[in-house]
Amino acid sequence: MTGHAFDPCEPYLDRELDEVQMREAEEHLERCSYCRRRYRFEVSLRRYVRTAASEQMPLGLREKLSALRTPLQ
């Protein structure tokens, strides 16, 4: 982590960082109130977006999107 801004906020939220990067991000969030607030906002925003979408995705579209997924390694 460098500076004040929590640069890997999105990758941290998406759990795309390796173990060392995750630990550094967590340590930074413990020390930096600005970035901690930003992180909490992003978590809240994602939660809101997930719950606000009330329209169901058509089954055909869901199947097409599922077929595009890259398997986890």
Side-chain angles (χ1 to χ4, degrees), residues 14-35:
D14 295 336
R15 301 294 189 228
E16 295 175 347
L17 303 176
D18 63 33
E19 288 182 37
V20 172
Q21 292 169 321
M22 288 291 285
R23 190 169 37 256
E24 289 175 352
E26 289 164 357
E27 290 171 1
H28 180 81
L29 287 172
E30 288 176 13
R31 292 187 314 269
C32 183
S33 63
Y34 172 81
C35 293

Side-chain angles (χ1 to χ4, degrees), residues 16 62-73:
E16 295 175 347
R62 184 178 301 178
E63 290 170 351
K64 288 178 184 177
L65 292 173
S66 293
L68 295 173
R69 284 188 179 163
T70 304
L72 295 175
Q73 297 179 9

Side-chain angles (χ1 to χ4, degrees), residues 33-68:
S33 63
Y34 172 81
C35 293
R36 193 169 43 251
R37 284 191 309 270
R38 182 175 160 210
Y39 167 75
R40 289 179 182 154
F41 171 78
E42 292 290 336
V43 169
S44 297
L45 179 61
R46 287 175 178 223
R47 187 177 300 125
Y48 173 77
V49 168
R50 277 194 308 270
T51 59
S54 61
E55 186 174 329
Q56 291 293 321
M57 184 183 309
L59 182 58
L61 177 58
R62 184 178 301 178
E63 290 170 351
K64 288 178 184 177
L65 292 173
S66 293
L68 295 173

